[in-house]
Amino acid sequence: HVQLVESGVGSVQAGGSLLLSCEASELTVSRYCMGWFRQDPGKEREGVARIDGEGGTTYAESVKGRFTISKDTDKNTLYLQMNDLKPEDTAMYYCAALRERYGSCTFAINYLGQGTQVTVS
């Protein structure tokens, strides 16, 4: 069955950077719409970034210019490079395989990873 496993060092000071990775199994990252979500306790889950099969990307306004989503097709892995981190970026981050609608990626989730905690102090 499909598995998405996130990893990445979880704590950093404000202004710092983190790289999150998501290794996929039973799913080809290069062919799928993929994305990252985050959720803080008591808040709704937020779509942070997504990338389509051609490499086209979409970002939440709150992370534009600071976060970069990418894929490594050889490693079948999704990444989220996070720069200039702020305390409000603190959340559990989830990797996801997303659904398409009319040929375009959406933030609707097909598969979700178990999440990795990011804390910015």
Side-chain angles (χ1 to χ4, degrees), residues 33-102:
C33 295
M34 301 293 296
W36 289 94
F37 291 80
R38 65 185 180 187
Q39 188 169 22
D40 217 10
K43 296 183 180 179
E44 289 190 3
R45 187 164 54 204
E46 174 190 19
V48 173
R50 66 179 186 232
I51 184 167
D52 63 28
E54 288 75 42
T57 57
T58 302
Y59 296 93
E61 284 296 325
S62 57
V63 306
K64 272 184 182 178
R66 301 188 298 121
F67 290 11
T68 302
I69 187 171
S70 62
K71 299 177 183 180
D72 185 323
T73 56
D74 291 337
K75 295 181 179 179
N76 205 36
T77 299
L78 180 73
Y79 298 101
L80 185 68
Q81 176 67 48
M82 304 186 292
N83 298 328
D84 189 24
L85 282 159
K86 305 175 182 181
E88 52 264 41
D89 294 318
T90 295
M92 186 72 80
Y93 282 72
Y94 299 88
C95 168
L98 305 173
R99 296 179 187 172
E100 290 188 24
R101 186 177 183 189
Y102 305 122

Side-chain angles (χ1 to χ4, degrees), residues 3-64:
Q3 280 193 310
L4 301 171
V5 180
E6 301 95 337
S7 60
V9 176
S11 296
V12 68
Q13 291 189 337
S17 298
L18 282 177
L19 175 66
L20 300 183
S21 302
C22 171
E23 188 170 351
S25 58
E26 302 299 325
L27 178 150
T28 303
V29 165
S30 62
R31 298 176 187 172
Y32 238 98
C33 295
M34 301 293 296
W36 289 94
F37 291 80
R38 65 185 180 187
Q39 188 169 22
D40 217 10
K43 296 183 180 179
E44 289 190 3
R45 187 164 54 204
E46 174 190 19
V48 173
R50 66 179 186 232
I51 184 167
D52 63 28
E54 288 75 42
T57 57
T58 302
Y59 296 93
E61 284 296 325
S62 57
V63 306
K64 272 184 182 178

